Amino acid sequence: MKPEKTNSIQQDAWGNLKNFTNARIALGSTGNSIPLEEVLQFRFAHAKAKDAIVSVLDNDKLKSQIQKMGFSVWEAQSKVNNRDEYLKRPDLGRKLNESSEKLLKEAQEAFDIVVVVADGLSANAVNTNILPLLKEIIPKLKGYKVGFVLATMARVALGDPIGAALNSKFVVTCIGERPGLSSPESMGIYTTYAPKLGLTDERRNCISNIHKNGLDSKQAASLLFYLIKQSFAKQISGVDIKIDVKELLH
């Protein structure tokens, strides 16, 4: 007769809190160790985060879909040459390479808003979340002249020289955020009024955690449009923009 199997995992008393977060809490224990299943889940999540860092933008699909919406699209790259350099030299990821800067300036365009679709630290996040966001925000932007740039090897601040090269009043940088162990596909949005090279972070507004377990595309689009209206009305962005929750929810 086979012995009856028993559950050797000691559950934590606060296990009910797992219902309110994706964080790794209340993992339980087997003796002095973490349960094997939790160890394997951690390794799997770590592998997905590493994969996210080396993922690439689906430029062909994104360019095709944006052009179908009726917008001009350019492709640009920072001064970074490869992914290893990207991780080691964030300063180069904030500057356009010479050919990209020349391309954008030769366009001789002027926009109210330039949307920079950037790979950042998780291109997969952008590939997953950008088109649903655009479907929500584009109808709200009637009356604004909007252009798009697909940017690779990009840091957040790369939006500033891109916006300046295209004579844009306002730049929206949609970028893959640093992948976490519970959200490897999280996209962030950074907005800047009067973009130019050398601006610092207090001149930007940020919307973060856009992913399936975070902000959805409709919520993100509503907040983005609020920031656009505030920035154009006050001709500023960053810490001087105060979010009025009542107005936002109206």
Side-chain angles (χ1 to χ4, degrees), residues 29-203:
S29 61
T30 54
N32 294 323
S33 302
I34 297 173
L36 176 60
E37 181 180 357
E38 297 294 346
V39 172
L40 294 177
Q41 288 292 338
F42 177 85
R43 291 182 178 178
F44 182 51
H46 187 247
K48 289 196 290 185
K50 290 173 68 176
D51 286 347
I53 290 174
V54 296
S55 60
V56 296
L57 280 181
D58 190 348
N59 276 19
D60 291 341
K61 177 183 177 181
L62 295 177
K63 187 173 184 178
S64 173
Q65 291 297 315
I66 293 169
Q67 287 176 332
K68 285 181 181 178
M69 297 177 190
F71 298 100
S72 299
V73 186
W74 290 268
E75 295 182 50
Q77 183 172 319
S78 73
K79 288 189 173 183
V80 173
N81 294 305
N82 55 63
R83 208 62 185 168
D84 286 341
E85 186 177 53
Y86 176 83
L87 296 173
K88 296 174 182 176
R89 293 292 304 273
D91 57 314
L92 296 180
R94 302 182 185 112
K95 301 173 183 177
L96 279 170
N97 65 22
E98 292 180 3
S99 60
S100 296
E101 186 172 16
K102 181 180 179 182
L103 174 69
L104 297 179
K105 286 184 175 180
E106 286 179 347
Q108 295 185 340
E109 292 273 8
F111 292 94
D112 296 316
I113 299 171
V114 166
V115 179
V116 178
V117 180
D119 51 4
L121 286 163
S122 176
N124 282 342
V126 182
N127 292 334
T128 300
N129 295 294
I130 188 62
L131 292 177
L133 173 72
L134 294 183
K135 288 178 181 178
E136 294 289 342
I137 191 63
I138 291 301
K140 301 175 183 289
L141 299 182
K142 292 180 179 179
Y144 295 95
K145 184 177 180 182
V146 182
F148 285 82
V149 176
L150 304 178
T152 53
M153 303 294 175
R155 297 285 177 170
V156 170
L158 188 66
D160 295 339
I162 288 175
L166 289 172
N167 299 306
S168 178
K169 297 176 183 176
F170 189 83
V171 66
V172 176
T173 301
C174 302
I175 191 167
E177 296 181 315
R178 181 179 291 106
L181 295 177
S182 60
S183 55
E185 293 185 351
S186 179
M187 186 177 75
I189 302 173
Y190 294 81
T191 63
T192 310
Y193 188 85
K196 63 180 180 180
L197 185 64
L199 294 181
T200 47
D201 287 342
E202 86 282 351
R203 286 290 303 277

